[in-house]
Amino acid sequence: MTGTGNTAGGIHVTNTGGNVTIGDHNTVTTGHGVPAARDPQQEELLQAIRRLRADLGGVVPTERTAALDGELSEAEEEIESTGRADAGRLTRVRRALTDAGTVTGILASGVAVGQAAGALLGG
């Protein structure tokens, strides 16, 4: 962007809403996107969610497994962005696990998610 004409060769940048670099060979580093710190139980839940989502890719999809994957995806995103899944999210994950039925009962990763969510909910 060039100046308003008052300054020869000047640069005027306003209201970018982000980062701006000018010139060659610049690097911009921001604090955005830095993962939030997680407690060990939340980290355990996150890893169990990732394993279950991978395992769900190998089963015949149903409406219930799709709904479960959606809840797991949202929980994963919440943990990654805020460092924790709140009680409402954990309750929805547990309900989706129950609704998905035998599929999650036979997958060790499904049992692990249920146990990790239960521990965080206090039972």
Side-chain angles (χ1 to χ4, degrees):
M1 302 177 89
T2 60
T4 60
N6 299 351
T7 309
I11 296 174
H12 181 77
V13 178
T14 62
N15 300 324
T16 65
N19 297 311
V20 175
T21 65
I22 300 170
D24 296 332
H25 312 293
N26 290 311
T27 302
V28 175
T29 305
T30 67
H32 300 302
V34 175
R38 297 187 272 276
D39 72 45
Q41 285 184 305
Q42 292 285 342
E43 184 62 33
E44 180 182 337
L45 175 60
L46 178 61
Q47 295 310 314
I49 286 171
R50 289 176 176 161
R51 284 189 300 274
L52 179 53
R53 290 191 73 209
D55 289 349
L56 286 174
V59 301
V60 176
T62 66
E63 283 183 34
R64 291 179 176 180
T65 59
L68 172 60
D69 187 57
E71 288 295 340
L72 294 171
S73 175
E74 290 179 16
E76 182 178 5
E77 185 177 309
E78 185 173 334
I79 295 168
E80 287 177 342
S81 64
T82 68
R84 62 182 299 276
D86 68 24
R89 174 76 57 212
L90 295 173
T91 300
R92 289 189 296 277
V93 166
R94 287 181 81 183
R95 187 176 310 123
L97 282 167
T98 301
D99 290 347
T102 57
V103 170
T104 58
I106 62 172
L107 295 172
S109 56
V111 174
V113 170
Q115 290 173 339
L120 287 164
L121 286 169

